[in-house]
Amino acid sequence: MSTVETKAPVSAAGAAGSGFSPLGQGTLLMAAALTTVDAFIVNVALPSIQKTFHVSASTSQFVVSFYGITYAVLLVLGGRFGDRFGRRKLIQIGVGGFTIASLACGIAPNIETLVGARILQGAAAALLLPQVLSTIQASLQEPAKTRAVSYYGAIGGLSAAVGQLLGGLFVWADIAGLGWRPIFLVNVPLGILAVIGTRLWVPETKATQPQGADLGGTALFGTAVLALLVPLSLGRQTHWPLWTWALFVVSAAVAFVLWRYERKVETTDVVPLIAPSLLSQSAMKRGLLVLGSGFLAFGGFIFVFALAVQGGNRMSAFESGLSMAPMAVGQFLAAVRAPKLIGRVGVRTLQIGGVLQVLGLVALIVPALLWWPHVHFYELVVGMFLIGAGNGLFVPTVYRTVLSSIPPNQIGAGSGIVTTTQQTTLALGTALLGAVFMGVSGGGDTRLGFVVVCAVFLAVAVAFAVFGKSLKPEESSR
């Protein structure tokens, strides 16, 4: 297995001993935020994209799902490339590719070009994101490491909320008559700044004994994910033909082959894409289950929220985006407080986050039942704030638990599994809960579809509040 890290041209010892500057850490977090913001910024803009290209809702959904699928499938491979070629170098390549792909999205003449550019964005993001967490792990010591991991963990939910807020703002502003296109074009100057900042302030790290890429595992994993998400995305619109059910069977069969293949690969010198030895650890299994269920519910909720409040509740894109602002504020405030709270009560922070999310979801369901389709954004402020605050406590707690369960000589593989779980379940949540929403509201009752999706999220939050303490810190400590 690969050991931890070396650093060039600035020594790894220097980085580990003194850390790297706040500017470098801020650059890393900004780069990570770009990838997640872009996963969600399109949600609010989907109705405008549909009108521009005269396509159906199911077709426009590929703008969201294909980005997430590509992102998830290539994440671990991106982590291996960083181990071998240097993480700062891969960050620069990833951000550069992401910036170029964003420009292509912004000037896309048709839906096919837009979807293709989104696939390239996802691939570039997969090169970038694994390097962020690995660089933090390699270059910082406690307590700076826990603080940086907490901020990194909070980036997912915070960026999702900010992404939809910005998406609504840009669509409403209609800058230079460009409609939805600035949601992608804004990445160009930010990407250039991230490339420069990475070059100036982020240390170079790499594995001392980099392992080969598990191309077979990557291909099998990608096939299993695609075979699952495509019918989930298209099944209802195509009335569930035989091929959709056949793909579900293919997904399950390939997943089984993947598991057997990875067990065999782990006996060789190649580090498997998904290491069975890591997944056999109790803290890792529980942590990934919690992480995956949380991101699945949250990702699906965020996607459905934009569709429901614009399509069924008659909100404008701006008001829909504005509704996300309280969530972003709650996420940020909770993320700032999370490290101290984790230090005091440990994994019970997860239960506190679950309680906050339960209260927040109830505060959304009630006005939806009472006033739909005339619910205004100010009637959702309390609920969205509490959901954001709960997520701001949930994510850092689970990240800290899972990462601390990974042996130092498997940190690259373990970080890859964590980020792959996060992005795969985000994509799965978009497809699965999106299908639930469209199925339930197919007769025109968008309120019922929205409430059902909120209820699914509520059930997950209740589970965290009740059973969160079972994710015991002593099981995950090493």
Side-chain angles (χ1 to χ4, degrees):
M1 297 292 181
S2 69
T3 53
V4 194
E5 328 290 330
T6 63
K7 190 175 176 200
V10 183
S11 71
S18 60
F20 57 99
S21 71
L23 284 172
Q25 295 175 47
T27 298
L28 279 182
L29 295 177
M30 181 181 75
L34 276 177
T35 66
T36 308
V37 165
D38 230 62
F40 289 93
I41 198 171
V42 298
N43 286 354
V44 177
L46 281 181
S48 298
I49 293 173
Q50 292 169 29
K51 292 178 182 177
T52 299
F53 295 132
H54 307 290
V55 296
S56 66
S58 60
T59 301
S60 68
Q61 188 174 333
F62 284 125
V63 177
V64 177
S65 58
F66 272 33
Y67 174 88
I69 291 169
T70 308
Y71 196 176
V73 167
L74 297 179
L75 267 170
V76 175
L77 196 61
R80 299 291 166 76
F81 286 159
D83 288 347
R84 177 174 292 275
F85 300 112
R87 298 188 180 105
R88 183 176 68 182
K89 183 181 298 183
L90 263 292
I91 292 171
Q92 291 178 292
I93 294 172
V95 174
F98 189 86
T99 303
I100 294 170
S102 296
L103 179 60
C105 288
I107 62 175
N110 51 53
I111 191 67
E112 293 82 8
T113 303
L114 178 57
V115 171
R118 287 285 283 172
I119 291 173
L120 294 178
Q121 267 193 322
L127 291 180
L128 158 65
L129 190 67
Q131 323 313 330
V132 175
L133 189 57
S134 295
T135 299
I136 289 172
Q137 290 284 62
S139 302
L140 291 174
Q141 291 182 337
E142 299 295 352
K145 181 185 291 187
T146 294
R147 185 165 56 249
V149 168
S150 294
Y151 292 153
Y152 172 84
I155 283 295
L158 179 61
S159 298
V162 171
Q164 298 211 159
L165 174 60
L166 291 177
L169 180 61
F170 282 135
V171 172
W172 169 79
D174 192 20
I175 301 169
L178 293 174
W180 52 267
R181 297 181 186 275
I183 69 175
F184 297 112
L185 297 177
V186 71
N187 292 333
V188 175
L190 293 176
I192 292 171
L193 288 176
V195 169
I196 295 172
T198 300
R199 180 67 180 174
L200 293 176
W201 301 309
V202 175
E204 179 66 285
T205 66
K206 62 174 67 176
T208 57
Q209 298 176 8
Q211 302 296 318
D214 180 11
L215 297 179
T218 301
L220 288 169
F221 178 75
T223 302
V225 172
L226 277 172
L228 177 62
L229 294 185
V230 168
L232 282 176
S233 299
L234 293 178
R236 179 185 170 275
Q237 289 76 20
T238 56
H239 306 290
W240 299 103
L242 182 61
W243 65 263
T244 59
W245 298 104
L247 282 179
F248 285 131
V249 175
V250 168
S251 178
V254 174
F256 176 75
V257 172
L258 172 64
W259 180 252
R260 296 292 298 269
Y261 176 84
E262 296 293 64
R263 290 180 63 182
K264 183 177 179 180
V265 167
E266 198 166 31
T267 64
T268 69
D269 292 333
V270 177
V271 178
L273 180 78
I274 302 172
S277 63
L278 279 177
L279 295 182
S280 66
Q281 298 174 16
S282 176
M284 190 74 170
K285 285 190 293 187
R286 294 182 184 183
L288 290 178
L289 177 63
V290 172
L291 183 75
S293 60
F295 273 101
L296 186 150
F298 184 79
F301 167 77
I302 291 292
F303 175 73
V304 166
F305 181 86
L307 292 180
V309 299
Q310 288 186 73
N313 191 54
R314 303 174 187 174
M315 279 190 184
S316 66
F318 175 68
E319 192 175 9
S320 171
L322 190 62
S323 300
M324 304 303 298
M327 177 181 284
V329 173
Q331 181 94 23
F332 175 77
L333 294 177
V336 170
R337 299 296 301 174
K340 291 184 178 180
L341 188 59
I342 292 171
R344 286 203 304 269
V345 302
V347 77
R348 290 185 180 275
T349 305
L350 173 62
Q351 293 182 284
I352 298 173
V355 170
L356 291 176
Q357 288 188 327
V358 168
L359 295 175
L361 287 160
V362 170
L364 290 189
I365 292 172
V366 170
L369 292 175
L370 293 177
W371 303 311
W372 197 277
H374 303 290
V375 180
H376 298 287
F377 78 92
Y378 52 81
E379 293 162 335
L380 305 177
V381 168
V382 173
M384 297 299 280
F385 177 85
L386 291 173
I387 292 172
N391 214 51
L393 297 181
F394 153 73
V395 179
T397 307
V398 181
Y399 262 88
R400 179 178 179 272
T401 301
V402 175
L403 291 173
S404 64
S405 73
I406 302 172
N409 67 331
Q410 293 181 284
I411 190 64
S415 298
I417 290 175
V418 170
T419 50
T420 297
T421 300
Q422 173 182 328
Q423 297 306 321
T424 302
T425 51
L426 278 173
L428 182 59
T430 297
L432 183 59
L433 294 187
V436 169
F437 170 75
M438 292 177 186
V440 174
S441 60
D445 193 351
T446 54
R447 176 178 65 175
L448 179 59
F450 177 68
V451 169
V452 168
V453 170
C454 286
V456 173
F457 192 3
L458 179 66
V460 174
V462 168
F464 293 162
V466 175
F467 303 111
K469 64 182 178 181
S470 65
L471 197 66
K472 297 178 182 177
E474 61 266 23
E475 287 189 90
S476 60
S477 61
R478 281 190 178 271

